[in-house]
Amino acid sequence: AQSVTQPDIHITVSEGASLELRCNYSYGATPYLFWYVQSPGQGLQLLLKYFSGDTLVQGIKGFEAEFKRSQSSFNLRKPSVHWSDAAEYFCAVGGKAGGTSYGKLTFGQGTILTVHP
Amino acid sequence: NAGVTQTPKFQVLKTGQSMTLQCAQDMNHEYMSWYRQDPGMGLRLIHYSVGAGITDQGEVPNGYNVSRSTTEDFPLRLLSAAPSQTSVYFCASSYALNQPQHFGDGTRLSIL
């Protein structure tokens, strides 16, 4: 069964500091990996995705993530955090594994990011 | 662009009542899904559909029904509401799995 673990429930950083949000996944085939961001009272917005190819992917709002197959990780990074980045971040894994698993995405528990001025 | 529209935005029910959460998308997406979001548990897949007339269960399907008679609409039905179904419900759509999912703004549901 596929699964996603986000080890950090809550992270606090100062504005201008660098950020890394961790994501570890379990999947039996080549995964599709996603990072979404959710502002309070809103739906989820896609930050970036990995399907294949270059393991370092760039997303919106200055975010990037690196796929490391050997570590089953897909950590999200940003060199300098802005106050507007405060939100909840979700990592998700999916893929076309066939049968009834087609189309299923599994989300992590989320990491809440607080940004101090 | 309307994108994914969910109605209602808020709803309070009594235990045992039934209701339907509506979801409509105007992007001609084949893939649609329903999630529930609970604190500390992320989003859990309830049901999904890969096209009109095709639905399948997700991780937490019990107590919910879906149907997909058109490409645009994917309603979620609560058959007999229970307090454990108090949650925020999100509908999402995409062209296919390997395309970004577009989320609605959610329905906040409270069961008393």
Side-chain angles (χ1 to χ4, degrees):
Chain A
Q2 59 196 61
S3 65
V4 177
T5 300
Q6 294 179 245
D8 305 305
I9 296 173
H10 195 171
I11 284 184
T12 300
V13 300
S14 298
E15 191 169 18
S18 63
L19 172 69
E20 182 171 33
L21 302 183
R22 294 184 290 165
C23 172
N24 295 101
Y25 70 90
S26 173
Y27 193 75
T30 300
Y32 296 158
L33 293 160
F34 306 82
W35 274 100
Y36 287 86
V37 60
Q38 183 182 32
S39 298
Q42 301 295 315
L44 277 70
Q45 180 185 21
L46 180 75
L47 282 177
L48 47 80
K49 62 184 185 292
Y50 171 80
F51 296 149
S52 64
D54 192 346
T55 57
L56 184 63
V57 294
Q58 302 297 321
I60 62 172
K61 304 183 180 185
F63 285 92
E64 67 178 26
E66 186 171 11
F67 171 58
K68 293 185 177 180
R69 185 186 298 276
S70 62
Q71 298 178 18
S72 297
S73 69
F74 189 57
N75 295 347
L76 182 71
R77 301 193 294 249
K78 186 170 185 178
S80 178
V81 171
H82 188 263
W83 64 266
S84 61
D85 294 324
E88 189 163 14
Y89 292 80
F90 293 93
C91 181
V93 65
K96 190 173 182 180
T100 58
S101 66
Y102 177 81
K104 291 184 180 180
L105 279 190
T106 298
F107 284 81
Q109 303 92 323
T111 298
I112 298 171
L113 174 65
T114 298
V115 181
H116 282 168
Chain B
N1 289 336
V4 178
T5 302
Q6 291 184 238
T7 56
K9 294 189 183 304
F10 303 94
Q11 184 71 49
V12 179
L13 294 177
K14 295 181 179 179
T15 298
Q17 286 185 313
S18 63
M19 81 159 294
T20 299
L21 307 186
Q22 301 291 344
C23 176
Q25 52 92 7
D26 60 0
M27 297 171 283
N28 201 32
H29 286 169
E30 291 294 328
Y31 177 75
M32 297 186 73
S33 56
W34 275 102
Y35 297 88
R36 59 177 290 172
Q37 183 178 27
D38 302 291
M41 303 189 74
L43 276 75
R44 293 181 292 169
L45 184 64
I46 304 172
H47 286 283
Y48 67 102
S49 169
V50 298
I54 307 171
T55 64
D56 204 349
Q57 296 181 352
E59 181 183 356
V60 287
N62 292 342
Y64 307 95
N65 272 358
V66 292
S67 60
R68 186 91 179 274
S69 57
T70 67
T71 299
E72 295 77 19
D73 300 299
F74 191 44
L76 177 72
R77 297 181 187 85
L78 279 70
L79 308 174
S80 177
S84 61
Q85 294 177 305
T86 294
S87 187
V88 181
Y89 292 84
F90 287 99
C91 179
S93 73
S94 64
Y95 283 114
L97 176 62
N98 62 354
Q99 295 297 322
Q101 292 202 34
H102 298 258
F103 283 83
D105 288 336
T107 295
R108 189 172 298 273
L109 182 62
S110 294
I111 315 293
L112 305 178

